[in-house]
Amino acid sequence: MKKHNFSAGPAILPQSVMQEAAQACIEFNGMGMSILEISHRSKQYDAVVAEAESLVREIGGFDDRFAVLFLGGGASTQFALAPMNLLKDGEKAGYVDTGVWANKAIKEAKLFGNVEVLASSKDSNYTFIPKGYDIPSDAAYLHLTSNNTIYGTQLHEFPKSPVPIVCDMSSDMFSRPFDAEQFGLIYAGAQKNIGPAGVTVVIVRKDLLGRSGRKLPSMFDYSIHSDNGSMYNTPPVFPLYVTMLTLRWLKAEGGLTAIQKRNEEKAAILYNEIDTNPLFKGTVAVEDRSLMNVCFLPTNPEHEEPFMAAAKAAGIDGIKGHRSVGGFRASIYNAMPQSSVQVLVDVMREFAMQNG
Ligand SMILES: *Cc1c(COP(=O)(O)O)cnc(C)c1O
């Protein structure tokens, strides 16, 4: 039986994308070879990278002032590459501490310059998004995490910033429209919402390339990747292909406005159940709730195991909460059908009837 996959990442992808990707592993594009065994410099693969780039530009509204890169190493590598490329020695950058991923970004940035933590919700175990903090205009950039995968909080409005925003969008990239203009750099590990693990999408304003003035190894230098169209070395060939297919799917579904509407509807169904079912409660400030990762606890801790078992019996997978929050986390990324969310809600109702 096909499971309802609520995993936080690697996560659900559209079924049609996986079918096409599986076929390409056997034979790609009538070439008589698998996509896994062709040259990354073949004209057929060139077309894949070109289409992926043009889809990112079209879906996200990035004109040619931005470079669009597809790199290896995950979002975690970008925690270091962002300051390495953008932050000068002795200069400061503003970071907002919204949890584990933000902290990892802060740790790496400290290797390259001065980090000023402008705000933090650590004291409340990251149950809300700090707002209304001052952003120093002499900072090189402001670093934000748009969606906090572990805690289920999401930035619903980006602050007005006097300096370029650098944003880790790993878990909500292309889940909603946004204004490209305010960003200097966006990075996202693909495996949460836009593809499989192995490729990281990096979008950087070209005028910021080389900003740090630092001598960098080639593979760590955004300029080199930009000058070489993400082909300085062998790119993550297959993950990038699957990401291209997922972006094609997203465009065909109507792009960001359509997907946002769908994501809002799915999240509303689940949060409504959490708020009305006496056996469950949400974990974060209502106004900061994530549309991607929905975290909730049983009101009675003894219900945790039996509810897990009931969910499992209904074919639900991946809802165990992160250890730092506990309870449950249902990740409902772009590819998650509303029907699967409804299955989860039905199990919650049934569970309340039997145990309430
Ligand atoms: C998963 C995640 C990361 C880490 O991504 P990797 O690709 O595993 O390095 C970073 N930031 C956020 C917000 C994430 O959800």
Side-chain angles (χ1 to χ4, degrees), residues 332-345:
I332 53 174
Y333 298 116
N334 287 353
M336 170 64 68
Q338 186 170 313
S339 55
S340 289
V341 177
Q342 195 57 53
V343 169
L344 174 57
V345 164

Side-chain angles (χ1 to χ4, degrees), residues 174-195:
F174 289 171
S175 67
R176 55 178 173 174
F178 57 93
D179 175 16
E181 293 295 321
Q182 59 198 324
F183 297 100
L185 170 67
I186 291 170
Y187 59 91
Q191 70 272 20
K192 309 285 169 52
N193 207 30
I194 50 175

Side-chain angles (χ1 to χ4, degrees), residues 264-299:
E264 283 173 352
E265 285 166 4
K266 286 184 295 184
I269 291 171
L270 189 46
Y271 283 120
N272 181 56
E273 185 61 25
I274 291 166
D275 290 340
T276 53
N277 188 321
L279 266 55
F280 299 96
K281 60 182 181 200
T283 57
V284 302
V286 171
E287 73 270 18
D288 298 328
R289 282 174 164 178
S290 170
L291 301 187
M292 299 279 98
N293 312 97
V294 178
C295 295
F296 56 106
L297 298 171
T299 42

Side-chain angles (χ1 to χ4, degrees), residues 74-350:
S76 299
T77 299
Q78 300 310 315
F79 294 157
L81 294 200
M84 219 187 273
N85 281 267
L86 302 188
L87 187 59
K88 296 173 185 154
D89 268 334
E91 197 178 26
K92 82 174 163 202
Y95 276 68
V96 178
D97 169 21
T98 50
V100 164
W101 299 119
N103 271 283
K104 291 192 170 176
I106 288 166
K107 178 176 172 224
E108 302 299 294
K110 283 180 176 167
L111 298 170
F112 302 101
N114 300 324
V115 170
E116 193 172 324
V117 177
L118 305 177
S120 170
S121 47
K122 184 173 187 195
D123 290 347
S124 80
N125 196 30
Y126 300 113
T127 52
F128 69 95
I129 300 277
K131 299 167 199 79
Y133 45 85
D134 288 327
I135 304 162
S137 55
D138 59 343
Y141 58 80
L142 166 67
H143 184 281
L144 300 170
T145 313
S146 53
N147 184 72
N148 298 281
T149 327
I150 290 173
Y151 313 90
T153 60
Q154 187 175 20
L155 210 68
H156 291 298
E157 206 174 325
F158 287 91
K160 288 245 167 307
S161 173
V163 296
I165 296 177
V166 171
C167 191
D168 176 2
M169 284 198 191
S170 293
S171 53
D172 68 350
M173 176 104 188
F174 289 171
S175 67
R176 55 178 173 174
F178 57 93
D179 175 16
E181 293 295 321
Q182 59 198 324
F183 297 100
L185 170 67
I186 291 170
Y187 59 91
Q191 70 272 20
K192 309 285 169 52
N193 207 30
I194 50 175
V199 65
T200 307
V201 178
V202 176
I203 300 154
V204 57
R205 238 171 58 196
K206 288 177 184 166
D207 65 307
L208 298 175
L209 293 173
R211 188 185 179 284
S212 75
R214 200 171 269 119
K215 276 206 173 69
L216 296 174
S218 304
M219 283 298 289
F220 300 167
D221 189 339
Y222 291 144
S223 309
I224 299 262
H225 291 294
S226 174
D227 290 346
N228 289 277
S230 300
M231 295 279 227
Y232 177 72
N233 71 327
T234 318
V237 171
F238 188 64
L240 173 42
Y241 171 67
V242 182
T243 298
M244 186 279 283
L245 293 180
T246 310
L247 296 172
R248 249 191 212 167
W249 170 86
L250 179 55
K251 182 182 167 189
E253 295 293 309
L256 300 187
T257 308
I259 210 75
Q260 177 185 39
K261 183 163 178 289
R262 217 188 281 176
N263 288 333
E264 283 173 352
E265 285 166 4
K266 286 184 295 184
I269 291 171
L270 189 46
Y271 283 120
N272 181 56
E273 185 61 25
I274 291 166
D275 290 340
T276 53
N277 188 321
L279 266 55
F280 299 96
K281 60 182 181 200
T283 57
V284 302
V286 171
E287 73 270 18
D288 298 328
R289 282 174 164 178
S290 170
L291 301 187
M292 299 279 98
N293 312 97
V294 178
C295 295
F296 56 106
L297 298 171
T299 42
N300 176 351
E302 281 174 14
H303 283 155
E304 186 153 332
E305 273 183 44
F307 179 71
M308 266 305 191
K312 193 170 172 219
I316 289 168
D317 195 81
I319 60 162
K320 189 171 171 51
H322 188 273
R323 61 187 177 281
S324 62
V325 178
F328 312 108
R329 170 176 54 174
S331 298
I332 53 174
Y333 298 116
N334 287 353
M336 170 64 68
Q338 186 170 313
S339 55
S340 289
V341 177
Q342 195 57 53
V343 169
L344 174 57
V345 164
D346 290 346
V347 174
M348 291 165 77
R349 283 197 191 146
E350 180 68 25

